[in-house]
Amino acid sequence: MAADHLRREESDRKEEEDNMSRDRGPVLKRARALGIEPQYLGVNKKSKRHGAVRRRKKSEYGIQLTEKQKVRFTYGLSETQFRNLFEKASKRKGGAGENLLIMLESRLDNVVFRMGFAATRREARQLVNHGHFLVNGKKADIPSMELKAGDVVSVKAKSQSSPKFNELKDMIITTPAWIDLNIDKFEGKITRTPERADVDLPIEEHYIVEYYSR
């Protein structure tokens, strides 16, 4: 029985890792599987499915995997990118899990999203890749670029007149406490390094540390 259970758990693990690494499943279904609201994955709608969903009790490994995938899919990283970032976070002073979350918040694509220049992190990555932004007045088209306190992110002058950005002037945009936005200038400044308390995703990062420490 124990051997059957281990084989079944290993099969479930491989299937989940495969499905999640391809990033092709419906977002609402994935959000339900991870136990988070679809908004964290960039979809502002709820599932129409009603009623309780039966779930098998997760093993310790299953819990660790789920917490890791919550963060990975929310910020839109591949498994390789996420693992590499975790390794960098582990080498910095302080807790690896908290460092990881702060580094994710400090990515250029996330900052663009947090400033309200994009509706989702996925859209933010696309806009950065297409060269619509400057950092401290210089071209910045690498979504993973890590920003720091004092950096200024701005929309390129020729992009400001596009419908995508011009309509932002009529919108009320709420930004985190560590960002100072000047929408009239299409720019925002990072006033301080984001802190653990600034991360609104319901996550227990110690499970991520345990996952990569196996």
Side-chain angles (χ1 to χ4, degrees), residues 19-208:
N19 289 338
M20 290 182 169
S21 64
R22 287 196 303 255
D23 196 17
R24 294 175 183 170
V27 175
L28 295 179
K29 183 177 180 180
R30 181 177 300 131
R32 286 197 303 271
L34 295 175
I36 57 177
E37 291 296 321
Q39 287 85 344
Y40 290 112
L41 300 182
V43 176
N44 292 316
K45 64 171 107 173
K46 293 184 179 294
S47 171
K48 295 181 180 179
R49 180 178 295 181
H50 299 287
V53 178
R54 294 185 62 185
R55 298 181 185 275
R56 286 200 307 249
K57 183 177 180 181
K58 287 187 177 181
S59 64
E60 188 71 10
Y61 174 84
I63 295 172
Q64 295 167 2
L65 176 61
T66 296
E67 292 300 289
K68 189 256 298 185
Q69 300 293 45
K70 279 184 188 179
V71 179
R72 184 167 83 78
F73 280 117
T74 295
Y75 289 93
L77 275 65
S78 70
E79 176 59 33
T80 299
Q81 290 172 324
F82 195 79
R83 180 184 289 273
N84 290 341
L85 193 65
F86 178 82
E87 291 177 357
K88 290 181 182 179
S90 301
K91 296 176 182 178
R92 295 191 178 185
K93 183 178 180 181
E98 183 171 326
N99 288 343
L100 174 67
L101 295 178
I102 291 173
M103 291 170 72
L104 287 166
E105 280 292 300
S106 301
R107 284 172 53 103
L108 175 57
D109 53 1
N110 182 73
V111 172
V112 166
F113 166 70
R114 292 293 195 185
M115 288 181 175
F117 292 137
T120 66
R121 291 181 178 87
R122 182 190 294 270
E123 182 186 26
R125 279 193 301 279
Q126 293 173 340
L127 292 173
V128 171
N129 280 326
H130 292 164
H132 290 291
F133 296 97
L134 305 174
V135 173
N136 301 326
K138 298 180 180 180
K139 179 182 178 180
D141 56 5
I142 302 176
S144 62
M145 179 180 181
E146 186 175 356
L147 305 185
K148 60 185 184 301
D151 284 342
V152 176
V153 177
S154 57
V155 180
K156 290 176 66 173
K158 68 178 182 179
S159 298
Q160 292 179 14
S161 59
S162 69
K164 163 63 190 173
F165 294 107
N166 193 45
E167 66 182 8
L168 295 177
K169 285 191 173 184
D170 298 322
M171 298 175 62
I172 298 176
I173 300 174
T174 302
T175 60
W178 49 279
I179 290 177
D180 182 19
L181 178 68
N182 186 331
I183 194 59
D184 291 329
K185 293 184 177 181
F186 291 100
E187 68 177 33
K189 181 177 182 179
I190 299 178
T191 58
R192 62 168 172 80
T193 301
E195 301 172 355
R196 173 62 183 89
D198 296 313
V199 180
D200 55 4
L201 178 68
I203 186 71
E204 295 183 62
E205 63 269 21
H206 67 90
Y207 284 120
I208 302 175

